[in-house]
């Protein structure tokens, strides 16, 4: 029953066939689906009908793919305003599943799936996991949360659909996660990258060396993470760490994924039509230029969304991928316009801070950004854990490291910020999405 690493990685799953569709055929399919989805949205959802009527647009105006840019955008606010069921295009009798994403404030966003929608989603997740080198025979530990969050069930159905063995352990209870990983011969782990970093650390404390386990693949998403973080994960384990992308509003995980090349994410554009727009003006940007990712669900029945503004910043990669997939790639998303904060007039993304910190030797991937206001001026302090050796070393080594971190941040951000080195375990660990930013400016 043992499979070598090589046979597992070269396994091809028939569900992946659409990943290699010739581009002219893909465009034809996209246009047919676009026409059908705009018709469906117009006929069944009040918001879309009003918006199209206001612009004097009819579903029949979608005569080519470029016509999509004539459609109005949908934003998160539209989902909140129509809470809970106002954007459904199917009667409740046809809705087989509801999920909800927790908002930072107020009511959540509710999303609906018909039987066909669940099938499309499952299929997209099978393709995602196949693209990350998983196959039948893998033993997959699914540490994404099960519940209203789409992560747990999305991965669960996908891994089962692929024929892998799923362990639906959900998030939390790290010691048990490590016991299961070791005792069940787990070969693949699904969770947020920050939680996996925590697992590596805890495994070390329990005397478990992850490099000695059969674990060979990690499929990480649900939060932006840097290549420095990937290097940290890959150097402390034997796994290949893959980045995937998705959002509940569109389907959940399964919108885009890396392939063996780990160089950008292929978008499953036969189901989710991607555009990159200027976040300020909404204008469509030329291929290769960085902007906000906008997605249209091409086959979603219960809750179609037209030109949904994701707030995620990325760009198309114009060159074809060496893996042979014809689906377009986007750069991995390291920035969300929602995460951005402004300090002394400078736009800062937590991921920039992460990349700068982790590039300096001696740091651990546990950090926090604390914003305060001192005498009316914004102040930013970055707290980061450093390896135990540094603390046992002479004081000079710590000062030297601190100086290098201040310089690294200055180089990336163009401002001097305060860096505080803290001992391992000082910063709270997360079992889901990590909270990197603490903004205390309004409390003063
Ligand atoms: Zn590829």
């Amino acid at each position: 029953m043992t499979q070598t690493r090589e046979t597992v990685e070269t396994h091809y799953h028939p569900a992946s066939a659409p990943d290699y569709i010739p581009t002219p055929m893909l465009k034809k399919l996209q246009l047919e689906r676009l026409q059908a989805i705009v018709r469906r949205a117009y006929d069944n959802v009040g918001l879309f009908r009003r918006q199209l009527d206001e612009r004097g647009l009819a579903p029949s105006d979608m005569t080519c793919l470029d016509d999509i840019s004539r459609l109005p955008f949908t934003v998160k606010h539209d989902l909140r305003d129509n809470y809970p069921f106002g954007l459904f295009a199917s009667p409740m009798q046809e809705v087989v599943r509801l999920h909800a994403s927790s908002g930072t404030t107020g009511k959540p966003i509710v999303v609906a799936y018909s039987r066909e929608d669940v099938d499309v989603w499952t299929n997209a997740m099978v393709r995602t996991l196949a693209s990350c080198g998983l196959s039948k025979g893998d033993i997959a530990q699914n540490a994404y949360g099960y519940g209203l969050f789409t992560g747990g069930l999305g991965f669960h159905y996908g891994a089962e659909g692929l024929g892998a063995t799923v362990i639906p352990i959900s998030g939390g209870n790290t010691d048990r996660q490590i016991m299961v990983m070791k005792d069940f011969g787990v070969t693949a782990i699904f969770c947020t990258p920050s939680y996996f970093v925590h697992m590596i650390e805890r495994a070390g404390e329990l005397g478990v060396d992850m490099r000695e386990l059969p674990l060979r693949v990690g499929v990480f998403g649900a939060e932006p993470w840097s290549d420095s973080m990937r290097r940290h994960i890959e150097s402390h384990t034997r796994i290949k760490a893959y980045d995937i992308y998705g959002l509940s509003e569109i389907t959940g995980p399964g919108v885009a994924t890396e392939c063996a090349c780990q160089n950008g994410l292929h978008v499953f554009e036969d189901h989710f039509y991607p555009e990159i727009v200027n976040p300020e003006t909404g204008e469509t940007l030329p291929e290769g230029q960085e902007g906000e990712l906008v997605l249209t669900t091409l086959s979603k029945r219960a809750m179609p969304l037209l030109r949904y503004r994701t707030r995620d910043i990325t760009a198309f990669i114009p060159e074809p991928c060496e893996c042979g997939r014809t689906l377009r790639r986007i750069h991995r998303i390291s920035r969300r316009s929602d995460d951005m904060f402004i300090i002394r007039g400078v736009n800062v993304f937590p991921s920039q801070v992460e990349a700068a910190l982790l590039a300096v030797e001696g740091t651990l991937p546990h950090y926090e950004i604390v914003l305060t206001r001192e005498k009316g001026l914004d102040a930013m302090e970055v707290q980061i854990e450093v390896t135990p050796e540094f603390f046992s070393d002479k004081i000079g080594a710590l000062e030297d490291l601190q100086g290098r971190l201040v310089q690294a941040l200055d180089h990336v951000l163009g401002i001097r910020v305060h860096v505080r080195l803290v001992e391992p375990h000082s910063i709270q660990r997360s079992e889901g999405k990590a909270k990197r930013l603490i903004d205390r400016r309004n409390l003063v």
Side-chain angles (χ1 to χ4, degrees):
M1 285 302 288
T2 46
Q3 276 175 299
T4 66
R5 196 181 165 112
E6 286 69 30
T7 54
V8 170
E9 277 183 353
T10 51
H11 195 276
Y12 170 82
H13 195 279
S16 297
D19 296 7
Y20 303 89
I21 185 174
T23 305
M25 213 190 276
L26 173 67
K27 291 200 159 156
K28 187 168 170 283
L29 179 74
Q30 286 174 323
L31 180 60
E32 284 165 13
R33 288 185 172 167
L34 175 69
Q35 289 167 333
I37 208 72
V38 174
R39 165 62 64 194
R40 184 173 179 81
Y42 184 87
D43 287 348
N44 297 287
V45 183
L47 172 78
F48 296 126
R49 189 162 51 250
R50 276 195 308 279
Q51 286 186 333
L52 264 71
D53 285 347
E54 277 168 20
R55 293 177 169 226
L57 274 175
S60 58
D61 289 330
M62 296 295 112
T63 57
C64 65
L65 278 175
D66 287 343
D67 284 333
I68 197 168
S69 64
R70 300 171 66 192
L71 294 171
F73 292 116
T74 310
V75 293
K76 193 166 241 184
H77 205 67
D78 294 321
L79 279 83
R80 291 201 202 291
D81 289 350
N82 290 281
Y83 173 88
F85 305 150
L87 294 183
F88 291 8
S90 296
M92 205 46 120
Q93 290 91 323
E94 286 171 27
V95 173
V96 300
R97 179 99 65 82
L98 297 174
H99 277 286
S101 78
S102 53
T104 40
T105 50
K107 302 274 192 191
I109 278 166
V110 181
V111 289
Y113 303 77
S114 70
R115 180 77 266 154
E116 298 92 324
D117 294 336
V118 171
D119 290 344
V120 167
W121 184 19
T122 298
N123 176 270
M125 278 309 295
V126 170
R127 291 162 67 184
T128 296
L129 297 176
S131 179
C132 298
L134 269 88
S135 69
K136 199 172 164 72
D138 269 306
I139 301 175
Q141 180 163 343
N142 186 10
Y144 281 108
Y146 280 67
L148 285 176
F149 171 56
T150 47
L153 286 181
F155 270 89
H156 184 102
Y157 275 55
E160 270 191 8
L162 189 74
T165 307
V166 188
I167 306 168
I169 193 164
S170 197
N173 200 339
T174 311
D175 288 8
R176 191 180 57 166
Q177 300 270 1
I178 290 156
M179 179 191 76
V180 164
M181 192 180 285
K182 188 165 161 271
D183 295 351
F184 293 13
V186 167
T187 60
I189 177 84
F190 311 148
C191 61
T192 58
S194 55
Y195 188 39
F196 189 64
V197 166
H198 176 40
M199 281 190 206
I200 295 174
E201 181 184 60
R202 185 67 189 140
E205 290 166 0
L206 295 171
V208 176
D209 184 349
M210 283 213 185
R211 278 173 284 225
E212 284 167 12
L213 302 181
L215 191 66
R216 62 177 197 87
V217 181
V219 186
F220 302 117
E223 65 186 10
W225 53 304
S226 62
D227 264 325
S228 315
M229 182 76 98
R230 165 147 54 202
R231 280 192 293 275
H232 174 89
I233 290 172
E234 291 189 341
S235 66
H236 285 78
T237 60
R238 283 201 309 132
I239 71 168
K240 230 176 143 168
Y242 289 94
D243 186 27
I244 58 127
Y245 175 75
L247 61 168
S248 302
E249 297 91 314
I250 297 301
T251 193
V255 173
T257 183
E258 283 186 337
C259 60
C261 304
Q262 290 181 308
N263 181 19
L265 290 84
H266 294 279
V267 182
F268 293 117
E269 50 180 333
D270 47 334
H271 294 300
F272 315 110
Y273 188 82
E275 298 170 86
I276 304 285
V277 305
N278 178 324
E280 312 295 327
T281 64
E283 257 178 304
T284 307
L285 291 173
E287 193 104 333
Q289 216 161 306
E290 189 180 79
E292 181 180 341
L293 178 66
V294 170
L295 291 165
T296 298
T297 61
L298 292 178
S299 23
K300 196 111 183 262
R301 293 187 59 80
M303 200 177 131
L305 285 183
L306 306 181
R307 303 194 84 205
Y308 183 67
R309 304 277 300 246
T310 64
R311 316 298 287 161
D312 292 317
I313 306 295
T314 183
F316 284 119
I317 302 174
E319 298 78 28
C321 185
E322 282 172 28
C323 76
R325 282 180 177 76
T326 48
L327 302 174
R328 276 184 293 174
R329 282 175 299 163
I330 50 173
H331 286 285
R332 59 192 309 212
I333 287 152
S334 57
R335 299 194 286 140
R336 303 210 64 221
S337 44
D338 289 351
D339 292 340
M340 193 192 81
F341 59 91
I342 300 175
I343 182 107
R344 285 178 251 146
V346 177
N347 294 352
V348 179
F349 292 91
S351 55
Q352 289 176 293
V353 174
E354 176 180 303
L357 293 174
L358 300 192
V360 176
E361 210 182 319
T363 57
L364 293 169
H366 303 287
Y367 65 93
E368 224 164 52
I369 302 164
V370 184
L371 305 180
T372 51
R373 187 158 288 150
E374 289 164 11
K375 296 175 194 151
L377 285 178
D378 287 347
M380 170 172 159
E381 180 180 86
V382 176
Q383 301 176 358
I384 178 147
E385 293 183 9
V386 299
T387 55
E389 298 83 68
F390 267 96
F391 271 97
S392 53
D393 225 328
K394 290 199 185 83
I395 195 90
L398 278 178
E399 274 171 14
D400 179 55
L401 176 62
Q402 188 185 30
R404 277 185 288 137
L405 289 169
V406 169
Q407 220 163 35
L409 289 170
D410 190 358
H411 184 71
V412 173
L413 309 175
I415 47 170
R416 294 294 273 194
V417 302
H418 187 63
V419 173
R420 189 145 72 90
L421 305 180
V422 296
E423 290 186 52
H425 294 289
S426 312
I427 290 166
Q428 206 188 343
R429 302 294 187 255
S430 124
E431 294 179 344
K433 301 186 191 196
K435 191 167 164 38
R436 303 296 192 191
L437 181 69
I438 298 166
D439 194 345
R440 297 204 179 107
R441 286 180 293 183
N442 291 329
L443 300 177
V444 185

